[in-house]
Amino acid sequence: MRAGWHRRRRGRRRRVVGRVWLARATVGCFLLLVAGHGAPAGARPSDAQARVEEFEVAGIPVLLRRIEANEVIAVKLFIRGGTANLTPRTAGIERFLFAASERGTEKYAKDLWYARLASTGTRVAGAAGYDFSTFSMETVLGSWDEAWDLYTQALLRPTLPPSEVELVRGQILNSVRQRRDDPDAYMRDLADSLFYQGHPYALNPEGTEAAIADISVDDLRAWHDRRLTKDNLLLVVVGNVGRGDLESRVEAALGDLPETGDAGRPVNRAPARSAAVAVVERRLPTNYVRGLFPAPSLGDEEDYAALTAAMEVLSNRLFEEVRTKRNLTYAVFSGLSARLSNYGLLYVTAVQPDSALSVMLAEVRKLRDEPLSEDVLAAAVSVFVTEYYQGLESNEAQASLLGRFELLGGSWKEAEDF
């Protein structure tokens, strides 16, 4: 479950073809009324919270969920700040830094580092997001010692060889350019830039061509030193690891980090503004429409849960009315993001967008004006709860969820209460 994810019904595929792209910056604040009829149909594990230990090591907050049922260990270091710490010139710098950190460390040359990853079955990856960035590892219990060393070397002691930095720069520039060739990716960028105009989220944490081209090796080193400080970090580990073992490793590896530095700045809600529409013409055989509206965030608890249920019901209805009954699209859904300054989403790709949108907005009004029956709501919640827990089958997914709720939802405990 990544930051910025959107729920959609399984099996709904999106076509990457299109003719006219339409991004609606704001579709207004829909008042979605959900009639409450008791608790969700799905039991949560009664000891789920007890299995999570919360403690500090050398001033760094740590969450540990010990799971003895499998041999996988997932480690996820959250770095607070996200786009709130970026400027147009530094957009994409954390993504750049993470990728370059894998190209050689003080202890391991690049080829040796990758060879050891392969031989130990270890995966290391960094990701830059709107609210935070992550540097993660997955390994197996038998490789825990060596994997931890490989991971912390890349995190703390990358050498950033100039020749490798240039290779990484070229790869990132190619991926940034390719976003314009993917209708959905380009439309997401356009919608964000309009909806979050004047807000930190208007910057894409994946970077821009101008910013990536201008970032130097010295910039990467300085960013590493400023941002990798204890006050910016949250470490989440899920797997068969004892607390004492983890405490000693964290103390030895991260204990000497600076206490403070370039602290992650808070993110405010996106400013209210009038509805806006942007149309971009392309010679493509269909049209893409993406509509955004302000929505509660994880920290808004009851409102976020209610809107989640509403979006589940609406998405089912859109699929039935727009695709199944009228055959106007192959892809239509409603969804809810998971950002601190959050949005809800309506999406469709259609040859006849006016017809599709007319049906979609009729379903929005129906949801607003007509209370849901107990059976309809219970069915939608039951499906959501089932998919929610299915999405947490991996240790990595559980680590992601715990960290996201700790940083955006007030506490990791809310991941179960939700």
Side-chain angles (χ1 to χ4, degrees):
M1 299 171 64
R2 299 178 180 174
W5 55 268
H6 306 293
R7 291 189 39 74
R8 66 179 71 88
R9 183 169 176 168
R10 291 174 297 179
R12 299 177 190 175
R13 297 181 180 177
R14 292 182 294 172
R15 300 281 186 177
V16 266
V17 291
R19 183 172 62 86
V20 176
W21 303 345
L22 173 65
R24 187 177 299 248
T26 308
V27 187
C29 297
F30 299 145
L31 177 60
L32 300 173
L33 304 181
V34 182
H37 295 284
R44 79 177 189 204
S46 59
D47 62 338
Q49 292 185 5
R51 292 201 306 269
V52 177
E53 294 184 81
E54 181 178 9
F55 51 94
E56 278 195 3
V57 180
I60 299 171
V62 179
L63 299 177
L64 170 62
R65 169 170 278 172
R66 186 165 189 178
I67 294 179
E68 300 179 358
N70 62 61
E71 297 296 300
V72 176
I73 300 173
V75 178
K76 192 171 287 284
L77 184 71
F78 291 80
I79 304 172
R80 306 168 194 266
T83 55
N85 284 72
L86 300 178
T87 66
R89 185 187 175 278
T90 59
I93 192 170
E94 290 190 1
R95 175 195 186 185
F96 198 166
L97 175 61
F98 292 146
S101 295
E102 301 179 20
R103 300 307 181 100
T105 76
E106 292 178 7
K107 185 175 180 179
Y108 301 101
K110 180 188 73 171
D111 292 344
L112 178 59
W113 191 80
Y114 281 117
R116 293 288 180 86
L117 285 183
S119 66
T120 57
T122 300
R123 183 184 70 88
V124 174
Y130 286 90
D131 293 302
F132 50 77
S133 295
T134 57
F135 197 71
S136 307
M137 176 185 72
E138 284 183 280
T139 191
V140 292
L141 185 59
S143 302
W144 176 226
D145 288 341
E146 188 170 1
W148 177 262
D149 188 45
L150 293 166
Y151 171 70
T152 54
Q153 276 286 313
L155 173 68
L156 301 171
R157 297 176 180 84
T159 51
L160 305 176
S163 60
E164 294 295 334
V165 168
E166 290 309 310
L167 288 175
V168 172
R169 187 195 310 278
Q171 293 170 349
I172 296 177
L173 285 173
N174 284 335
S175 70
V176 170
R177 293 170 185 137
Q178 288 171 4
R179 289 206 305 256
R180 292 187 62 87
D181 298 328
D182 181 333
D184 282 314
Y186 180 72
M187 189 168 61
R188 281 194 299 270
D189 288 351
L190 179 60
D192 275 358
S193 67
L194 291 173
F195 186 73
Y196 289 111
Q197 187 175 11
H199 186 274
Y201 290 170
L203 293 172
N204 192 320
E206 293 293 300
T208 63
E209 286 187 62
I212 297 298
D214 193 46
I215 293 171
S216 68
V217 175
D218 288 341
D219 291 332
L220 295 176
R221 291 194 175 112
W223 193 269
H224 179 276
D225 293 342
R226 290 200 310 268
R227 299 285 293 122
L228 206 63
T229 58
K230 293 178 181 179
D231 60 336
N232 284 336
L233 304 182
L234 167 69
L235 182 67
V236 182
V237 178
V238 177
N240 192 6
V241 178
R243 174 171 173 172
D245 174 51
L246 183 60
E247 286 179 325
S248 64
R249 292 178 188 274
V250 174
E251 175 69 42
L254 307 179
D256 291 334
L257 286 176
E259 297 290 335
T260 61
D262 189 357
R265 292 193 288 273
V267 172
N268 298 319
R269 293 190 182 275
R273 57 173 49 90
S274 302
V277 177
V279 180
V280 179
E281 292 195 20
R282 292 288 178 94
R283 295 182 61 83
L284 300 169
T286 190
N287 307 281
Y288 290 78
V289 182
R290 185 177 183 88
L292 306 183
F293 59 93
S297 67
L298 289 175
D300 294 318
E301 298 183 8
E302 292 184 3
D303 287 342
Y304 185 85
L307 188 57
T308 296
M311 291 294 97
E312 186 76 18
V313 172
L314 180 60
S315 204
N316 293 337
R317 290 178 174 179
L318 294 178
F319 188 83
E320 179 70 18
E321 295 296 327
V322 182
R323 175 173 172 171
T324 303
K325 289 185 178 179
R326 295 171 175 82
N327 198 30
L328 291 171
T329 182
Y330 280 101
V332 60
F333 62 88
S334 60
L336 187 59
S337 186
R339 299 177 181 178
L340 200 57
S341 178
N342 210 23
Y343 68 83
L345 169 71
L346 296 176
Y347 174 95
V348 69
T349 172
V351 175
Q352 300 174 318
D354 288 350
S355 299
L357 285 173
S358 178
V359 177
M360 292 172 70
L361 293 177
E363 290 303 316
V364 170
R365 296 186 187 99
K366 178 181 177 182
L367 184 64
R368 179 193 65 191
D369 297 337
E370 300 178 14
L372 298 175
S373 71
E374 183 173 353
D375 290 343
V376 168
L377 181 58
V381 170
S382 181
V383 170
F384 175 85
V385 169
T386 300
E387 293 183 348
Y388 182 77
Y389 282 112
Q390 283 180 335
L392 296 176
E393 290 177 342
S394 73
N395 293 6
E396 191 278 334
Q398 293 180 46
S400 295
L401 186 77
L402 289 170
R404 182 179 303 110
F405 270 90
E406 178 70 14
L407 295 181
L408 307 183
S411 168
W412 60 267
K413 298 175 184 178
E414 299 298 331
E416 293 294 338
D417 294 339
F418 172 69

Short mmCIF file of all heavy atoms in Angstrom, two decimals, residues 122-144:
data_model
loop_
_atom_site.label_atom_id
_atom_site.label_comp_id
_atom_site.label_asym_id
_atom_site.label_seq_id
_atom_site.Cartn_x
_atom_site.Cartn_y
_atom_site.Cartn_z
N THR A 122 18.42 -10.61 -0.68
CA THR A 122 18.06 -9.34 -0.04
C THR A 122 17.66 -8.31 -1.10
O THR A 122 18.27 -8.25 -2.17
CB THR A 122 19.24 -8.80 0.78
OG1 THR A 122 19.59 -9.75 1.79
CG2 THR A 122 18.91 -7.46 1.43
N ARG A 123 16.66 -7.53 -0.78
CA ARG A 123 16.24 -6.43 -1.66
C ARG A 123 16.33 -5.13 -0.88
O ARG A 123 15.82 -5.02 0.23
CB ARG A 123 14.81 -6.64 -2.14
CG ARG A 123 14.32 -5.58 -3.13
CD ARG A 123 12.86 -5.81 -3.49
NE ARG A 123 11.98 -5.51 -2.38
CZ ARG A 123 11.49 -4.32 -2.10
NH1 ARG A 123 11.79 -3.28 -2.86
NH2 ARG A 123 10.68 -4.14 -1.06
N VAL A 124 16.98 -4.13 -1.47
CA VAL A 124 17.07 -2.79 -0.89
C VAL A 124 16.51 -1.80 -1.89
O VAL A 124 16.82 -1.88 -3.08
CB VAL A 124 18.54 -2.43 -0.54
CG1 VAL A 124 18.64 -0.98 -0.08
CG2 VAL A 124 19.08 -3.37 0.53
N ALA A 125 15.68 -0.89 -1.44
CA ALA A 125 15.06 0.08 -2.35
C ALA A 125 14.70 1.35 -1.61
O ALA A 125 14.27 1.31 -0.45
CB ALA A 125 13.81 -0.51 -3.00
N GLY A 126 14.88 2.48 -2.28
CA GLY A 126 14.44 3.76 -1.75
C GLY A 126 13.28 4.30 -2.55
O GLY A 126 13.14 3.98 -3.74
N ALA A 127 12.45 5.09 -1.92
CA ALA A 127 11.30 5.69 -2.61
C ALA A 127 11.04 7.07 -2.03
O ALA A 127 11.09 7.26 -0.81
CB ALA A 127 10.06 4.81 -2.45
N ALA A 128 10.76 8.02 -2.90
CA ALA A 128 10.45 9.39 -2.48
C ALA A 128 8.95 9.61 -2.60
O ALA A 128 8.34 9.25 -3.61
CB ALA A 128 11.21 10.39 -3.35
N GLY A 129 8.35 10.20 -1.55
CA GLY A 129 6.90 10.42 -1.55
C GLY A 129 6.54 11.84 -1.22
O GLY A 129 7.40 12.68 -0.95
N TYR A 130 5.25 12.12 -1.20
CA TYR A 130 4.76 13.47 -0.95
C TYR A 130 4.86 13.85 0.52
O TYR A 130 5.08 15.02 0.84
CB TYR A 130 3.31 13.59 -1.41
CG TYR A 130 3.18 13.63 -2.91
CD1 TYR A 130 3.03 12.47 -3.65
CD2 TYR A 130 3.23 14.85 -3.59
CE1 TYR A 130 2.93 12.50 -5.04
CE2 TYR A 130 3.13 14.89 -4.98
CZ TYR A 130 2.99 13.72 -5.69
OH TYR A 130 2.91 13.75 -7.06
N ASP A 131 4.70 12.88 1.44
CA ASP A 131 4.73 13.17 2.87
C ASP A 131 5.99 12.67 3.55
O ASP A 131 6.35 13.15 4.63
CB ASP A 131 3.52 12.56 3.56
CG ASP A 131 2.23 13.22 3.12
OD1 ASP A 131 2.11 14.44 3.29
OD2 ASP A 131 1.34 12.52 2.59
N PHE A 132 6.64 11.70 2.97
CA PHE A 132 7.86 11.13 3.53
C PHE A 132 8.55 10.31 2.44
O PHE A 132 7.95 9.99 1.42
CB PHE A 132 7.57 10.24 4.75
CG PHE A 132 6.49 9.21 4.51
CD1 PHE A 132 6.75 8.05 3.78
CD2 PHE A 132 5.21 9.41 4.99
CE1 PHE A 132 5.76 7.12 3.55
CE2 PHE A 132 4.21 8.47 4.76
CZ PHE A 132 4.49 7.33 4.04
N SER A 133 9.80 10.01 2.69
CA SER A 133 10.53 9.09 1.84
C SER A 133 10.86 7.85 2.66
O SER A 133 10.82 7.87 3.90
CB SER A 133 11.81 9.74 1.31
OG SER A 133 11.51 10.82 0.45
N THR A 134 11.20 6.75 1.97
CA THR A 134 11.54 5.52 2.67
C THR A 134 12.78 4.89 2.07
O THR A 134 13.04 5.01 0.87
CB THR A 134 10.39 4.49 2.60
OG1 THR A 134 10.07 4.21 1.22
CG2 THR A 134 9.15 5.00 3.31
N PHE A 135 13.55 4.24 2.93
CA PHE A 135 14.68 3.42 2.49
C PHE A 135 14.46 2.06 3.13
O PHE A 135 14.47 1.94 4.36
CB PHE A 135 16.01 4.03 2.92
CG PHE A 135 17.18 3.48 2.16
CD1 PHE A 135 17.38 3.78 0.82
CD2 PHE A 135 18.10 2.65 2.78
CE1 PHE A 135 18.45 3.28 0.11
CE2 PHE A 135 19.19 2.14 2.08
CZ PHE A 135 19.36 2.45 0.74
N SER A 136 14.23 1.03 2.30
CA SER A 136 13.68 -0.23 2.79
C SER A 136 14.57 -1.41 2.46
O SER A 136 15.38 -1.37 1.53
CB SER A 136 12.29 -0.47 2.17
OG SER A 136 11.45 0.64 2.36
N MET A 137 14.36 -2.48 3.21
CA MET A 137 15.06 -3.73 2.96
C MET A 137 14.13 -4.89 3.26
O MET A 137 13.34 -4.86 4.21
CB MET A 137 16.30 -3.85 3.85
CG MET A 137 17.02 -5.19 3.70
SD MET A 137 18.41 -5.38 4.84
CE MET A 137 17.56 -5.59 6.41
N GLU A 138 14.23 -5.93 2.45
CA GLU A 138 13.60 -7.21 2.74
C GLU A 138 14.66 -8.29 2.61
O GLU A 138 15.42 -8.32 1.64
CB GLU A 138 12.46 -7.49 1.75
CG GLU A 138 11.19 -6.71 2.00
CD GLU A 138 10.10 -7.11 1.02
OE1 GLU A 138 10.14 -6.63 -0.13
OE2 GLU A 138 9.24 -7.92 1.40
N THR A 139 14.70 -9.17 3.60
CA THR A 139 15.66 -10.27 3.57
C THR A 139 15.04 -11.46 4.29
O THR A 139 13.88 -11.42 4.70
CB THR A 139 16.99 -9.85 4.21
OG1 THR A 139 17.99 -10.85 3.94
CG2 THR A 139 16.86 -9.64 5.71
N VAL A 140 15.82 -12.52 4.44
CA VAL A 140 15.36 -13.70 5.17
C VAL A 140 16.21 -13.85 6.43
O VAL A 140 17.33 -13.34 6.52
CB VAL A 140 15.44 -14.97 4.31
CG1 VAL A 140 14.43 -14.90 3.18
CG2 VAL A 140 16.85 -15.17 3.75
N LEU A 141 15.67 -14.57 7.39
CA LEU A 141 16.29 -14.64 8.71
C LEU A 141 17.73 -15.16 8.64
O LEU A 141 18.62 -14.66 9.34
CB LEU A 141 15.45 -15.54 9.63
CG LEU A 141 15.88 -15.64 11.09
CD1 LEU A 141 15.89 -14.28 11.75
CD2 LEU A 141 14.96 -16.61 11.84
N GLY A 142 18.00 -16.12 7.77
CA GLY A 142 19.33 -16.68 7.67
C GLY A 142 20.37 -15.71 7.15
O GLY A 142 21.57 -15.92 7.33
N SER A 143 19.92 -14.62 6.50
CA SER A 143 20.84 -13.62 5.94
C SER A 143 20.81 -12.31 6.72
O SER A 143 21.36 -11.31 6.26
CB SER A 143 20.48 -13.35 4.47
OG SER A 143 20.53 -14.52 3.70
N TRP A 144 20.18 -12.32 7.88
CA TRP A 144 19.91 -11.08 8.61
C TRP A 144 21.18 -10.29 8.92
O TRP A 144 21.24 -9.09 8.72
CB TRP A 144 19.16 -11.43 9.88
CG TRP A 144 18.84 -10.34 10.85
CD1 TRP A 144 19.02 -10.39 12.20
CD2 TRP A 144 18.25 -9.06 10.61
NE1 TRP A 144 18.58 -9.24 12.81
CE2 TRP A 144 18.10 -8.40 11.85
CE3 TRP A 144 17.84 -8.40 9.46
CZ2 TRP A 144 17.57 -7.12 11.98
CZ3 TRP A 144 17.30 -7.12 9.57
CH2 TRP A 144 17.18 -6.50 10.81
#
